Amino acid sequence: MNADIKTREYTTVSEVSGPLMIVEGVEGVGYNEIVEIETPTGENRKGQVLEVNEDLAVVQVFEGTDDLNTLNTKSRFTGETAKIGVSDDMMGRIFNGTGQPIDGGPEIIPDKELDINGNPMNPASREFPAEFIQTGISTIDGMNTLVRGQKLPIFSGSGLPHNDLAAQIARQAKVVGTDDDFAVIFAAMGITHEEANFFMKDFERTGALERVTVFMNLADDPAIERILTPKMALTTAEYFAFEKNMHVLVILTDLSNYCEALREVSAARDEVPGRRGYPGYMYTDLAGIYERAGRIAGKEGSITQMPILVMPQDDITHPIPDLTGYITEGQIVLSRDIHRKGIYPPVDVLPSLSRLMSGGIGDDKTRDDHSGVSDQLYSAYAEGRNLRDLVAVVGEEALTERDQSFLKFADNFEDQFIRQAKDEDRTIQETLDLGWKLLTVLPKTELKRVKDEFIEKYYPE
Amino acid sequence: MMEEGNIIKIAGPVIVADGMRGAQMHEMVRVGDDKLIGEIIELEGDTATIQVYEETAGLKPGEKIERTGGPLSVELGPGVMGSIFDGIQRPLEVIKELTGDYIARGVDVPSIDKEKKWTFEPIAKVGDKVTGGDILGQVQETSAVVQKIMVPPMIEGHIKSIVGKDQFTVEETIAVIETDDGDKEVAMLQKWPVRKGRPYAEKLDPDIPLITGQRAQDTFFCLAKGGAAAIPGPFGSGKTVTQQQLAKWADADIVVYIGCGERGNEMTEVLTEFPFLEDPRTGNPIMDRTVLIANTSNMPVAAREACVYTGITIAEYFRDQGYDVALMADSTSRWAEAMREISGRLEEMPGEEGYPAYLASRLAQFYERAGRVTTLGQDPKQASVTVVGAVSPPGGDMSEPVTQNTLRICKVFWALDASLADKRHFPSIDWLQSYSLYVDNITSWWQENASDEWRANRDQAMVLLQQESELEEIVQLVGPDALPDSQQVILETTRMLREDFLQQNAYDEVDTYCSPTKQAGMLKTILTFHENASAAVARGADVKDIAALPVKEEIARMKYIPEEEFEAKNKEMQEQVVTQCSEV
């Protein structure tokens, strides 16, 4: 019966508009099924059914609708939803945004064909992520701890070094006490050749390439294709994590470009827009990507996601970072102010957050004083930053001694705790000890967030 | 054979079918070859628009629609407690056994276990005259919950027969009631359509507080049993932790926790943590009194629209048994967005920000199902459903339609603030913006049960915090030293209020729950400090010396004093405040 369906070919395109084409007179076409399109010039493209209404099918064309016509464009309905063939051999390979190898290597002989949309993970099957990942970066390890199976995005602005940070994390991430390496799946959506090269070179330089799988949709590739890219990458990640028992770190960059592509399709369909023209279902759509991170009870592997998104105008309330923040388990926010001071990585810890931190730290995981030190650094730095505004008005001399110590703390904190070199890999002990060292600037009575026993145990003399 | 229709159009979670004449609005249907679950949301002539509760990829025009003849309903009876359901009450643990770690489509599973036998103890006797809501018997379902088996609403008559104490499944007949329209067999299982509130006799004024053990909420912005509260806040402001704290510590008999369009890991956290937490009042595991509804953000959007109704119907069922039920919905914004998405697919004329015009009325209908009531039956009980809805305003902008429409209905508003969260001030409830309209109603409860100075102290603390915000403006301009000493004392006190009272550490064993007596005691100590420090300054003492008093450090740590030691230590602390201030 499938053979029958596979021969259903039509030349009845009635309308082409933006990324969409409408085919009439179709029969038995399924919602979301994949369409193979042959342009009048003989080029092959792929599309997906977005809506079926009796004998009309609305098809979104991934590689763009250039050259399509309403006379002799052929569309073949495959009867199947989008799939990707996965196998062990994908490790170390480079694919385009639709999953075709582009590194000149052999075709992948699939071990399995998987639907790229996947099914939602049953919340009752999940295991709560609680294994500390040491990234070697103090602001993350100490104050916004990442754990295996978490989705923690980097919110950045244009011109900020988010790529350096992501590459550094990919290089340094490890679970202390084990020697399992992370497999990295890198999905690029609409980034430039230069940016892509930066990552590729970094992977090559550090010899990481053999444990990296790359899906590459660059800025000059068709925009609609990037709707598939993260799903391809995550389906592959699920295969590695839950069938091959690997710990996978998925880096998705840049989600803003993905959302633009969603908006483009939505606009072409004349849908009622939500905020700033993005479709009303963008939350659901993004959740379909981010929620694929996690751990499954009884399975070895895990998927940790680190999406990167560039906030338009550094605006964290823009719909893309906003909806992302509501789905992901925290966020690492980069700040232009700190960047301007020449501090790398310019992580602004105040709006940054890791929701899974409390489960991944403490006595048996990092150190017993971790949560207290982190809280204390947070509130002291917040207070110091507040005082800076006051100093601008009344001058430093008008401050009390106590307030001056907080001001000094904030400066030291930025200069020593936030700042680190691009290849500096600090252990969690080093990070926490550094935190204690900085706190000595403050009067001891102000350390209200740390329990007395830890002050006795760790306060540097 | 049920009547059938045919699919003619598919667009995301919404499909259109013809051949549906005679179908009812909100009737449940089975869609396509995979028999996906759907609900009719619009009828026009021969065609019906259906929202499908499962992923629709692969559906084709021409596939069949099977009608079920009834509306979307939940199954109520022993077996509900301690479970985790999806948005249309399918048990996720059972789905896991059937389809593995991912939720496949078209899974047909009973909501509650039909095979399991429960020990039913009869209470009513043959010959008793009964009406809807009367109790026939009971089942000890979990360590924490005894389910009362009730006569279904609308049935009235005499008990013709009732079984003795024995084991039964939920579907077996346990009693026969002789009514005017003949004999009715009653089983433990009841079905109820989710979109229809269960009946009660009368609504009462909420005048008993729902004690949550959270100082900012209980002391300053308290919620009453049967009330409705909204928690709006941008992401990262701690909505979920706040909701979970309420689910853990609220003094309700039953908690229904709805994860509506939120993170999968959050539900897992509840599932892994709650069985090991003890209810401070009964010592039973908290999970034993909890029902979880999980429709995470990546699960089908139409089921997200239904999940709040599923949850509140379950809550009402326990209310009818005479229990105080607390329902947490996290987040109602996702529910509203699901409505918007479905409405968009229906090509309805959008209202504000693309939300459908009926957003306000749907929100109102939902929150109005909260309330303290007297139940049906001849021996009516007072029981309540309290609703706490989290709201996730885009970009933290509270002027958006979901927040605004929710505030019109809810009498308690806990505004979470991102800048407080950034400073790790948790719970990040903004004390200047938040309010509770129940304070007058519940004052007498607090005065009787915690401290007779409660109201006066609370109001004084609020005034001080208000003054602080005014003083802060001046400090921003001229620096703190320019303030007169008396006002500097106010700043000392309010810092104490903020750091040592309002801030509460959910992750600390002791501080996670604070009893009403301890709350009242802590507040009293801080105000004692204020009174004595003000007096000292008026005598001419230096504010710097007040600020350096050693007792301040003890006050800072009083939240970590265990409940049983608190009273004695607190008294000592108050005495020290008086002596130390007088010695300055």
Side-chain angles (χ1 to χ4, degrees):
Chain A
M1 182 195 149
N2 266 347
D4 270 347
I5 291 172
K6 283 194 173 153
T7 57
R8 288 173 308 135
E9 197 170 282
Y10 299 92
T11 51
T12 46
V13 174
S14 68
E15 193 185 322
V16 181
S17 127
L20 305 180
M21 67 172 198
I22 295 173
V23 190
E24 0 170 85
V26 299
E27 225 176 285
V29 165
Y31 175 65
N32 258 359
E33 90 175 57
I34 288 293
V35 190
E36 288 172 358
I37 299 153
E38 197 184 319
T39 66
T41 50
E43 196 187 323
N44 284 314
R45 292 188 192 162
K46 277 206 166 124
Q48 187 175 22
V49 176
L50 288 187
E51 186 176 322
V52 219
N53 193 348
E54 299 188 64
D55 64 346
L56 283 184
V58 179
V59 178
Q60 124 185 321
V61 185
F62 293 121
E63 290 97 334
T65 48
D66 291 0
D67 307 333
L68 297 190
N69 66 11
T70 52
L71 181 69
N72 55 357
T73 299
K74 288 182 193 158
S75 15
R76 209 157 59 81
F77 290 84
T78 60
E80 288 191 346
T81 49
K83 292 206 159 71
I84 181 172
V86 288
S87 105
D88 273 350
D89 303 333
M90 293 175 82
M91 203 44 93
R93 301 287 307 272
I94 304 173
F95 303 87
N96 69 5
T98 53
Q100 305 302 317
I102 49 168
D103 53 358
E107 288 284 312
I108 299 294
I109 300 161
D111 171 37
K112 263 191 172 172
E113 293 264 330
L114 298 175
D115 187 331
I116 64 159
N117 291 306
N119 276 325
M121 202 188 275
N122 190 330
S125 296
R126 280 183 188 266
E127 185 170 307
F128 193 63
E131 275 173 297
F132 168 64
I133 296 177
Q134 182 177 298
T135 64
I137 293 162
S138 292
T139 40
I140 298 180
D141 293 351
M143 301 170 74
N144 298 287
T145 314
L146 177 68
V147 298
R148 259 185 192 165
Q150 184 173 14
K151 37 193 180 295
L152 189 65
I154 299 178
F155 286 3
S156 183
S158 42
L160 297 182
H162 43 267
N163 290 337
D164 299 79
L165 180 61
Q168 188 174 3
I169 292 169
R171 247 183 354 248
Q172 296 181 173
K174 58 179 156 299
V175 172
V176 181
T178 64
D179 47 3
D180 342 346
D181 259 341
F182 277 96
V184 176
I185 293 194
F186 180 78
M189 291 160 276
I191 63 171
T192 60
H193 281 273
E194 258 169 78
E195 285 172 292
N197 275 345
F198 166 80
F199 278 103
M200 297 311 296
K201 279 198 184 132
D202 197 79
F203 293 146
E204 244 165 76
R205 182 172 65 85
T206 55
L209 204 53
E210 63 204 37
R211 53 181 182 98
V212 179
T213 307
V214 179
F215 290 85
M216 194 85 84
N217 166 285
L218 297 178
D220 53 355
D221 288 332
I224 306 304
E225 195 180 289
R226 33 194 95 118
I227 293 180
L228 289 181
T229 311
K231 293 176 180 157
M232 295 271 171
L234 286 162
T235 309
T236 313
E238 281 169 2
Y239 172 78
F240 283 141
F242 303 127
E243 298 197 24
K244 298 291 164 187
N245 299 327
M246 290 177 169
H247 294 287
V248 187
L249 175 67
V250 183
I251 298 177
L252 304 167
T253 178
D254 169 343
L255 256 303
S256 305
N257 297 328
Y258 172 83
C259 294
E260 300 297 334
L262 275 187
R263 177 162 72 173
E264 195 178 327
V265 174
S266 169
R269 295 183 64 191
D270 295 329
E271 289 172 337
V272 179
R275 278 174 76 214
R276 300 218 193 167
Y278 292 96
Y281 49 79
M282 193 158 87
Y283 179 82
T284 309
D285 195 280
L286 286 174
I289 294 175
Y290 299 137
E291 276 291 322
R292 289 172 83 172
R295 304 214 57 172
I296 290 179
K299 296 257 169 95
E300 264 304 294
S302 64
I303 299 179
T304 310
Q305 263 189 40
M306 186 157 274
I308 299 173
L309 59 93
V310 172
M311 302 182 281
Q313 288 187 313
D314 296 355
D315 176 11
I316 200 166
T317 66
H318 183 279
I320 301 172
D322 189 52
L323 295 180
T324 299
Y326 276 120
I327 307 166
T328 53
E329 283 135 356
Q331 66 275 338
I332 303 292
V333 183
L334 303 191
S335 142
R336 202 168 291 280
D337 285 346
I338 299 180
H339 180 63
R340 282 203 193 107
K341 290 184 188 167
I343 295 173
Y344 170 89
V347 175
D348 188 352
V349 292
L350 297 186
S352 298
L353 170 73
S354 163
R355 291 168 190 272
L356 302 183
M357 178 166 174
S358 62
I361 61 171
D363 209 359
D364 47 342
K365 290 170 174 148
T366 54
R367 213 165 78 180
D368 45 7
D369 59 329
H370 192 156
S371 122
V373 172
S374 165
D375 282 354
Q376 189 63 62
L377 290 172
Y378 259 114
S379 63
Y381 180 57
E383 176 130 22
R385 283 250 299 245
N386 261 353
L387 288 166
R388 277 187 194 161
D389 300 339
L390 187 57
V391 168
V393 182
V394 299
E396 203 168 328
E397 303 73 38
L399 293 187
T400 60
E401 213 170 289
R402 170 191 176 277
D403 287 355
Q404 287 187 14
S405 70
F406 276 91
L407 209 55
K408 179 133 187 281
F409 170 83
D411 292 338
N412 291 351
F413 177 82
E414 285 175 3
D415 190 50
Q416 297 173 35
F417 195 86
I418 300 184
R419 185 199 297 276
Q420 63 188 93
K422 286 186 183 169
D423 54 359
E424 190 178 352
D425 189 356
R426 292 184 191 152
T427 67
I428 183 64
Q429 280 72 23
E430 286 168 349
T431 292
L432 293 175
D433 291 344
L434 178 59
W436 277 107
K437 193 185 125 209
L438 295 173
L439 289 172
T440 53
V441 173
L442 305 176
K444 221 169 177 177
T445 46
E446 288 295 331
L447 304 183
K448 290 184 183 174
R449 304 293 180 103
V450 210
K451 289 193 176 166
D452 287 338
E453 51 176 300
F454 298 134
I455 295 183
E456 272 161 41
K457 195 164 161 192
Y458 294 106
Y459 195 84
E461 293 311 322
Chain B
M1 177 77 191
M2 265 295 163
E3 288 169 70
E4 288 184 341
N6 290 303
I7 301 179
I8 55 176
K9 177 183 169 180
I10 304 132
V14 172
I15 63 162
V16 179
D18 65 6
M20 297 294 289
R21 196 173 285 275
Q24 291 161 12
M25 186 69 172
H26 292 142
E27 182 173 336
M28 206 173 108
V29 292
R30 292 297 197 141
V31 176
D33 301 340
D34 285 337
K35 297 197 185 303
L36 310 179
I37 298 168
E39 182 185 9
I40 296 177
I41 51 172
E42 200 174 271
L43 286 165
E44 199 183 332
D46 210 25
T47 62
T49 306
I50 296 162
Q51 62 176 351
V52 183
Y53 292 125
E54 298 180 74
E55 175 56 51
T56 50
L59 277 185
K60 299 186 184 74
E63 287 187 36
K64 295 269 176 281
I65 304 284
E66 209 177 283
R67 284 169 47 194
T68 63
L72 180 69
S73 300
V74 288
E75 295 189 335
L76 302 164
V80 172
M81 220 44 234
S83 294
I84 175 165
F85 297 108
D86 77 353
I88 46 175
Q89 213 206 1
R90 293 183 303 180
L92 288 170
E93 296 281 355
V94 181
I95 294 182
K96 177 179 158 188
E97 278 161 34
L98 287 177
T99 73
D101 297 326
Y102 292 89
I103 301 172
R105 299 190 303 158
V107 192
D108 191 6
V109 288
S111 296
I112 53 183
D113 193 339
K114 305 281 167 67
E115 313 291 322
K116 182 165 177 172
K117 294 209 173 221
W118 299 92
T119 307
F120 172 81
E121 276 178 73
I123 292 173
K125 297 181 301 294
V126 173
D128 283 359
K129 181 174 176 298
V130 289
T131 65
D134 279 342
I135 301 215
L136 291 171
Q138 62 185 29
V139 169
Q140 180 82 40
E141 188 182 355
T142 65
S143 66
V145 176
V146 176
Q147 274 224 27
K148 316 270 191 212
I149 307 301
M150 297 171 289
V151 177
M154 322 298 178
I155 290 187
E156 198 174 335
H158 291 87
I159 297 182
K160 196 172 172 187
S161 68
I162 186 163
V163 296
K165 180 175 176 177
D166 205 348
Q167 302 235 313
F168 298 95
T169 68
V170 289
E171 286 182 315
E172 283 176 292
T173 303
I174 45 141
V176 177
I177 298 171
E178 195 175 3
T179 71
D180 293 346
D181 342 314
D183 292 355
K184 303 255 183 199
E185 292 185 347
V186 177
M188 289 192 266
L189 179 74
Q190 286 193 25
K191 281 197 178 185
W192 193 264
V194 295
R195 292 185 199 275
K196 195 172 153 195
R198 285 176 64 92
Y200 51 84
E202 192 192 354
K203 255 199 183 173
L204 303 169
D205 276 342
D207 49 15
I208 302 170
L210 183 83
I211 296 299
T212 64
Q214 312 302 305
R215 290 185 291 269
Q217 279 110 316
D218 287 353
T219 298
F220 288 108
F221 312 107
C222 58
L223 178 54
K225 281 183 177 152
I231 317 184
F235 66 83
S237 59
K239 278 189 302 298
T240 301
V241 178
T242 308
Q243 286 270 39
Q244 288 188 359
Q245 283 296 94
L246 298 184
K248 282 177 197 167
W249 309 122
D251 68 339
D253 303 307
I254 309 283
V255 170
V256 178
Y257 192 94
I258 309 173
C260 174
E262 289 288 307
R263 304 174 184 90
N265 277 332
E266 278 167 10
M267 298 317 288
T268 312
E269 185 178 11
V270 173
L271 272 179
T272 41
E273 194 181 1
F274 278 26
F276 302 101
L277 288 175
E278 255 179 36
D279 185 338
R281 293 173 308 138
T282 62
N284 292 317
I286 282 180
M287 195 64 206
D288 280 4
R289 60 157 202 189
T290 309
V291 182
L292 291 175
I293 315 265
N295 208 91
T296 56
S297 55
N298 54 341
M299 283 157 80
V301 69
R304 196 189 303 163
E305 195 270 332
C307 70
V308 297
Y309 295 106
T310 302
I312 197 145
T313 311
I314 293 174
E316 286 174 338
Y317 170 70
F318 284 101
R319 173 202 68 192
D320 292 347
Q321 298 178 29
Y323 290 119
D324 288 318
V325 186
L327 177 135
M328 324 285 156
D330 185 12
S331 142
T332 57
S333 291
R334 306 297 161 227
W335 168 50
E337 281 165 14
M339 265 189 255
R340 173 167 75 181
E341 192 172 332
I342 305 283
S343 162
R345 304 275 189 184
L346 290 174
E347 293 170 11
E348 290 173 339
M349 180 72 82
E352 219 179 327
E353 291 198 15
Y355 286 104
Y358 45 79
L359 173 73
S361 61
R362 291 275 172 89
L363 283 169
Q365 276 165 12
F366 170 70
Y367 282 105
E368 269 303 285
R369 286 174 77 170
R372 201 159 86 85
V373 303
T374 43
T375 60
L376 292 181
Q378 302 168 86
D379 175 24
K381 298 163 285 287
Q382 295 190 349
S384 64
V385 172
T386 312
V387 174
V388 181
V391 184
S392 320
D397 169 15
M398 306 256 184
S399 68
E400 59 93 36
V402 182
T403 314
Q404 285 307 312
N405 284 311
T406 305
L407 287 186
R408 260 188 251 159
I409 317 154
C410 290
K411 294 209 163 48
V412 176
F413 174 48
W414 293 323
L416 301 189
D417 182 68
S419 64
L420 288 175
D422 287 354
K423 290 180 208 153
R424 296 303 185 263
H425 174 115
F426 286 118
S428 63
I429 295 176
D430 180 337
W431 50 90
L432 297 175
Q433 269 202 57
S434 304
Y435 59 77
S436 162
L437 302 183
Y438 295 121
V439 178
D440 291 333
N441 300 34
I442 54 96
T443 296
S444 58
W445 185 95
W446 271 92
Q447 313 256 43
E448 277 161 35
N449 290 281
S451 152
D452 44 8
E453 299 165 30
W454 178 79
R455 182 62 189 267
N457 287 347
R458 175 201 176 270
D459 290 353
Q460 192 195 350
M462 282 303 289
V463 170
L464 287 171
L465 288 167
Q466 183 67 46
Q467 284 175 339
E468 180 194 35
S469 81
E470 287 158 18
L471 293 175
E472 282 294 335
E473 279 172 31
I474 303 173
V475 170
Q476 286 296 327
L477 290 175
V478 297
D481 288 342
L483 291 180
D485 285 2
S486 63
Q487 292 185 338
Q488 290 193 42
V489 172
I490 293 182
L491 292 184
E492 282 295 327
T493 309
T494 51
R495 178 186 305 186
M496 224 178 246
L497 277 173
R498 281 186 286 114
E499 293 181 358
D500 307 333
F501 189 83
L502 289 170
Q503 280 183 23
Q504 190 166 358
N505 187 348
Y507 298 110
D508 183 87
E509 253 171 60
V510 175
D511 200 29
T512 185
Y513 176 85
C514 186
S515 70
T517 358
K518 184 173 169 189
Q519 295 185 24
M522 287 173 72
L523 190 59
K524 170 81 183 156
T525 305
I526 295 175
L527 293 175
T528 309
F529 170 85
H530 181 68
E531 190 188 329
N532 287 281
S534 300
V537 168
R539 275 198 322 269
D542 191 343
V543 184
K544 292 214 171 57
D545 296 332
I546 298 276
L549 287 181
V551 74
K552 274 184 66 194
E553 208 173 314
E554 278 185 54
I555 292 177
R557 301 198 185 275
M558 71 181 163
K559 58 171 91 162
Y560 300 115
I561 303 174
E563 294 280 344
E564 54 281 5
E565 300 164 28
F566 182 75
E567 207 183 326
K569 286 206 177 164
N570 195 41
K571 210 164 155 230
E572 207 179 297
M573 214 162 6
Q574 286 174 10
E575 282 160 12
Q576 278 181 17
V577 168
V578 178
T579 23
Q580 290 186 13
C581 283
S582 64
E583 285 162 5
V584 174

